[in-house]
Amino acid sequence: MAIKRTNSESLFSKAKNYFPGGVNSPVRAFKSVDGSPLFIKKGDGCMIWDEDDNQFIDFCCSWGPLILGHNHPNVYNKVVETLQNGSSFGAPTRLENELAELILQRNPFIDKIRFVSSGTEAVMSALRLARGYTEKDKVIKFDGCYHGHSDSLLVNAGSGLVTLGESSSAGVPASFAHETLVLPLNDIEALKACVEAYKDQIACAIIEPIPANNGLLLQEKTFLLALREICTENNILLFFDEVISGFRVAFAGAAEYYGIEPDLVTYGKIIGGGLPVGAYGAKKEIMARVSPDGNVYQAGTLSGNPVAMAAGIAQLTECAKPGFYEDQAQRTIDFIAPINAHAKDKGYDFEIVSIGSIFWLNFAGNKTIRKAQEINPDMTGFRHLHSALLERGIYLGPSGYEVGFVSLAHTPEILQKAAIMMCEALDAIYQ
Ligand SMILES: *Cc1c(COP(=O)(O)O)cnc(C)c1O
């Protein structure tokens, strides 16, 4: 029984006249699932409603930012209260100090931070800082990690033995891409060989310590520890891109979760409470190179925007409460366990992989996947499940490579209901 899509379809056909592909960010276009995008008109707690009044339990949560769910009262109130005094000044406000204090007091490995307006901007700026600070040009990137869409990082592994990257988007000059060295995840030998080959040319190694933009490619801790050690030995900055994992698996992200200190870190998503905020941070001596103190230029008209800062402060205040992350992880485990037990019982080759409150649907359930190329590119299973879940009232991001998120608003009761719906949807697609 297909859901009603009349209003979403008519909005989408108009949108196609206005925007490339009808959207302002590609994955929203539903290219890899059935049907056209649902236009959302309202969110509350863990629920969303589309323009045809279909109601869904939302596991996309705006792709991660909404760790408290939609319209958490404290975030809502703080935003409205702040907005009453104006929306932007282009001058410092006390709210920037407050958000910085919240973050820096709980992050021992960074001394200073700079706010920007997106994850992409944070990574792009931090990369410039890494190059400016080290006076070296090359960067190591790992295949399967996403770091936003700045030129240096829209790069795939090249063919053959060389690790020089090839641009993965038209418009990125090959010469830029060649400054990026692309390595497989979870492979210490490949890392050592690359560092040996490009000795003294590598500014930093950027990684999602919890790669969660191309499946959930959980790394062995031994690999992350080796990466830390090899970077230290070779004067390479270790750059944790925690745009998705920061404030998600622990307040101080994967660095806290694994107990590994990066030299540079970027945040985004959760940091802005649903408004556009990104940030990069490092120790004093590195941040001293950022303008106006230093000669690495970086600026932004809307950087540190007071309304966005207010949303971030309200959200991170909740996240900083004792037991917040333990509770998130426990509710997620309790949600997933019966679904995985059901899949195993029925012999479906399916397993939900998770860490903290991030989860991913693995359609090769008997296999632990740590590298990008280990994912089966045939996403037919996901496509069918996505439709079967929409029909039952569950909204997942429309791509099998994307992860799902459990928020504070997903109560144990809701999650229990969602687990039953997931099992029914699995039965429907496997039978
Ligand atoms: C989402 C994401 C980005 C890009 O952030 P935007 O705000 O979409 O520009 C960069 N790095 C990682 C790890 C992300 O998850």
Side-chain angles (χ1 to χ4, degrees):
M1 188 191 45
I3 56 168
K4 184 169 172 273
R5 298 192 186 225
T6 324
N7 293 338
S8 281
E9 279 168 1
S10 104
L11 286 163
F12 188 51
S13 75
K14 275 193 189 158
K16 282 194 274 194
N17 296 325
Y18 307 144
F19 314 116
V23 290
N24 286 300
S25 195
V27 73
R28 296 178 197 171
F30 269 48
K31 286 273 191 196
S32 50
V33 293
D34 293 331
S36 57
L38 302 181
F39 278 60
I40 306 301
K41 67 174 178 190
K42 179 184 153 137
D44 190 41
C46 67
M47 294 295 182
I48 52 172
W49 288 263
D50 71 12
E51 292 281 353
D52 291 286
D53 293 317
N54 299 304
Q55 179 182 345
F56 304 97
I57 302 171
D58 179 19
F59 286 107
C60 177
C61 294
S62 188
W63 302 104
L66 303 180
I67 197 169
L68 306 179
H70 298 271
N71 255 347
H72 186 279
N74 295 5
V75 177
Y76 177 86
N77 289 332
K78 182 105 183 156
V79 164
V80 170
E81 178 195 306
T82 304
L83 194 52
Q84 281 167 349
N85 291 324
S87 61
S88 183
F89 310 106
T93 64
R94 75 167 61 230
L95 294 165
E96 291 152 82
N97 288 5
E98 281 177 32
L99 186 56
E101 274 163 28
L102 247 169
I103 295 165
L104 294 175
Q105 277 169 3
R106 292 167 182 80
N107 273 14
F109 50 87
I110 54 175
D111 297 322
K112 283 189 183 179
I113 196 164
R114 169 63 65 82
F115 290 121
V116 294
S117 299
S118 72
T120 295
E121 198 189 349
V123 172
M124 180 186 82
S125 310
L127 204 59
R128 183 180 308 135
L129 175 58
R131 286 170 162 154
Y133 177 78
T134 59
E135 296 177 356
K136 296 187 278 188
D137 287 341
K138 294 223 182 307
V139 303
I140 289 176
K141 174 196 185 292
F142 294 91
D143 189 25
C145 289
Y146 177 68
H147 303 293
H149 61 86
S150 64
D151 284 346
S152 305
L153 295 163
L154 283 183
V155 171
N156 284 335
S159 48
L161 290 173
V162 284
T163 44
L164 289 183
E166 289 176 359
S167 32
S168 61
S169 163
V172 177
S175 55
F176 285 21
H178 288 171
E179 298 299 326
T180 305
L181 309 167
V182 184
L183 297 178
L185 282 162
N186 215 56
D187 186 338
I188 300 174
E189 291 316 310
L191 174 65
K192 281 185 178 158
C194 175
V195 168
E196 188 57 38
Y198 293 96
K199 232 177 172 26
D200 304 324
Q201 297 177 52
I202 304 169
C204 69
I206 180 171
I207 188 169
E208 284 181 81
I210 296 175
N213 280 284
N214 185 75
L216 184 58
L217 305 172
L218 296 179
Q219 299 299 285
E220 284 171 295
K221 190 173 174 185
T222 47
F223 171 71
L224 295 172
L225 288 168
L227 175 63
R228 173 66 282 180
E229 200 176 301
I230 291 166
C231 283
T232 307
E233 284 167 0
N234 292 278
N235 287 318
I236 296 170
L237 298 178
L238 176 58
F239 180 163
F240 275 4
D241 178 3
E242 299 237 34
V243 170
I244 208 164
S245 51
F247 313 104
R248 171 58 66 180
V249 295
F251 193 92
E256 178 181 333
Y257 185 91
Y258 290 116
I260 299 175
E261 290 203 1
D263 301 304
L264 267 173
V265 66
T266 45
Y267 298 117
K269 300 199 167 100
I270 291 173
I271 199 175
L275 273 74
V277 182
Y280 62 100
K283 291 274 189 226
K284 290 199 275 295
E285 56 275 20
I286 299 178
M287 292 304 278
R289 299 299 298 274
V290 178
S291 58
D293 284 348
N295 58 1
V296 175
Y297 190 71
Q298 188 271 311
T301 302
L302 292 172
S303 292
N305 173 269
V307 183
M309 294 290 108
I313 292 164
Q315 176 146 284
L316 295 193
T317 301
E318 296 307 306
C319 295
K321 288 183 176 166
F324 180 87
Y325 289 98
E326 289 77 3
D327 177 57
Q328 283 281 106
Q330 191 58 53
R331 269 182 297 111
T332 306
I333 290 167
D334 294 344
F335 165 52
I336 287 166
I339 304 168
N340 282 344
H342 181 80
K344 198 167 176 199
D345 198 42
K346 296 272 181 169
Y348 305 152
D349 196 9
F350 172 90
E351 188 184 42
I352 305 184
V353 186
S354 78
I355 182 168
S357 52
I358 309 178
F359 66 87
W360 178 58
L361 312 182
N362 177 5
F363 283 83
N366 53 3
K367 202 166 92 184
T368 304
I369 296 184
R370 302 195 195 277
K371 292 191 173 84
Q373 74 269 25
E374 291 167 357
I375 299 178
N376 183 350
D378 177 10
M379 287 285 165
T380 314
F382 179 82
R383 189 158 58 80
H384 292 156
L385 189 67
H386 190 265
S387 298
L389 287 171
L390 285 181
E391 283 166 24
R392 286 165 179 79
I394 289 184
Y395 185 88
L396 290 179
S399 159
Y401 289 95
E402 303 285 351
V403 293
F405 300 95
V406 169
S407 80
L408 180 69
H410 291 82
T411 61
E413 296 70 35
I414 294 274
L415 289 171
Q416 209 172 18
K417 228 174 92 181
I420 293 168
M421 289 151 89
M422 290 278 265
C423 292
E424 286 173 359
L426 284 171
D427 292 344
I429 67 158
Y430 277 102
Q431 273 149 27

